Amino acid sequence: MERGSAAAGSGVAPAPAPAPARSEEGEEHEGCAGLWELPVERCERRPECGRCSRPQKVCLCPFLPIHPLKVSTCLYIIQHPAEESRVLRTVPLLAACLPPDKCKILVGRRFSEDRYPELATVCRNQNTLILYPGAEATNLEEVAVMSSSPSVMIIIDGTWSQAKDIFYKNSLFRLPKQVQLKTNISSQYVIRTQPTNTCLSTLECAAVALTIMEKNQSIQETILRPLQALCSFQLQHGAQIHHSKEHLLKNGLYDKPMPKNKRKLRRMELLVNNVKI
């Protein structure tokens, strides 16, 4: 006789199955059951100005030139994707000061010849310059004196580490002549921390470079005006002045933990000792 049939005919009722234990996760879901039914408020993005890309209530168009500046130099802004989402970015203000065909913005980290044939052609042009400081870079003032034809200038928009990554990992950017700015002016972009006192924002670099290439001092004043207005507005509404990392280190005001990475620690030592890095 099969065991199954013997148990069924013995008249003994089977023991009830034990109730499943309530897990902490189940109790948590029961406690939050009412929350799922609450209405969700949608966070609507504030309407933006079509020209300066700022929220309409804090539009900076009154500080932009009435008409785009007339320049012969064409700028290619190579923008790191992280910069595109920053609230207080400067590239939209720069673009608003120039004609659309004189300020072209490309967003990305890697730029191959296959995907960017126009950029590849630009990089191979003998009149193209790339603004990136270094031992192999020539001062822009020296190049401007010798140049008479309209130029194209490539500027990388991002933090210093992001710009370095883009410059060294894209072979196209080794083709143009490398130039740098020889200037001691301090950045007016005081609502964002810079590595050193003389590091400039993308907008400021473009303003100085265009002034040199176009031999027109008023260009720098015009392009910097919306940046000054932006910083002034932010400071009036609670923002704090950001001193450079160099300034903070030299004055014992750097309150963040020192890096454990030896290379980064060495860079900080160079900043304190006024060594160009």
Side-chain angles (χ1 to χ4, degrees):
M1 184 180 292
E2 295 180 6
R3 292 183 182 180
S5 59
S10 63
V12 179
R22 294 177 64 187
S23 65
E24 293 182 4
E25 184 178 352
E27 292 179 357
E28 183 179 344
H29 279 291
E30 287 182 12
C32 297
L35 296 177
W36 313 127
E37 300 175 4
L38 294 176
V40 178
E41 288 188 23
R42 291 188 177 183
C43 182
E44 295 185 3
R45 191 181 182 92
R46 290 183 293 175
E48 289 186 350
C49 171
R51 187 182 181 196
C52 69
S53 300
R54 294 279 296 157
Q56 290 179 357
K57 289 186 177 180
V58 289
C59 173
L60 293 175
C61 286
F63 304 94
L64 296 173
I66 298 175
H67 302 290
L69 296 172
K70 293 182 179 180
V71 295
S72 59
T73 306
C74 178
L75 299 181
Y76 273 78
I77 307 297
I78 307 301
Q79 187 176 72
H80 189 278
E83 287 294 315
E84 195 178 16
S85 59
R86 287 187 182 273
V87 177
L88 301 175
R89 57 195 190 277
T90 65
V91 167
L93 299 179
L94 170 64
C97 293
L98 301 171
D101 63 329
K102 296 299 182 182
C103 185
K104 302 181 181 182
I105 303 169
L106 300 177
V107 181
R109 294 186 180 88
R110 300 293 176 261
F111 298 86
S112 64
E113 187 168 356
D114 294 337
R115 292 186 61 189
Y116 297 90
E118 179 186 341
L119 179 62
T121 301
V122 168
C123 288
R124 286 192 167 86
N125 190 317
Q126 62 178 1
N127 292 323
T128 298
L129 309 171
I130 184 163
L131 187 63
Y132 190 84
E136 299 178 359
T138 305
N139 290 334
L140 181 59
E141 291 87 343
E142 299 174 15
V143 176
V145 170
M146 298 182 290
S147 176
S148 58
S149 57
S151 299
V152 176
M153 178 168 291
I154 298 172
I155 301 177
I156 302 175
D157 180 43
T159 64
W160 283 99
S161 59
Q162 291 167 352
K164 182 178 180 180
D165 178 75
I166 289 174
F167 180 75
Y168 284 106
K169 291 187 179 179
N170 289 282
S171 57
L172 281 179
F173 298 145
R174 293 312 201 314
L175 301 177
K177 186 175 183 62
Q178 186 179 344
V179 295
Q180 62 186 2
L181 298 176
K182 184 182 179 182
T183 177
N184 293 320
I185 65 172
S186 296
S187 175
Q188 298 185 43
Y189 193 24
V190 294
I191 54 175
R192 188 168 173 182
T193 304
Q194 304 288 359
T196 69
N197 295 330
T198 56
C199 284
L200 303 177
S201 66
T202 302
L203 178 142
E204 291 171 306
C205 286
V208 175
L210 285 174
T211 296
I212 295 171
M213 296 302 296
E214 303 290 324
K215 301 175 178 62
N216 184 348
Q217 184 62 37
S218 67
I219 291 177
Q220 182 174 334
E221 298 169 0
T222 302
I223 294 179
L224 291 184
R225 196 173 296 129
L227 176 66
Q228 294 163 350
L230 169 65
C231 294
S232 176
F233 178 85
Q234 293 299 127
L235 293 173
Q236 290 172 18
H237 291 79
Q240 300 294 318
I241 292 179
H242 288 223
H243 294 289
S244 70
K245 188 180 290 186
E246 175 188 14
H247 173 88
L248 296 176
L249 287 169
K250 286 183 177 179
N251 292 277
L253 301 173
Y254 192 76
D255 56 359
K256 295 182 180 180
M258 297 300 284
K260 296 181 180 179
N261 183 291
K262 291 183 179 180
R263 182 177 57 83
K264 291 183 178 180
L265 193 60
R266 177 59 179 162
R267 286 175 64 87
M268 286 193 167
E269 291 174 355
L270 295 175
L271 283 176
V272 174
N273 295 319
N274 277 332
V275 178
K276 187 176 181 180
I277 57 175

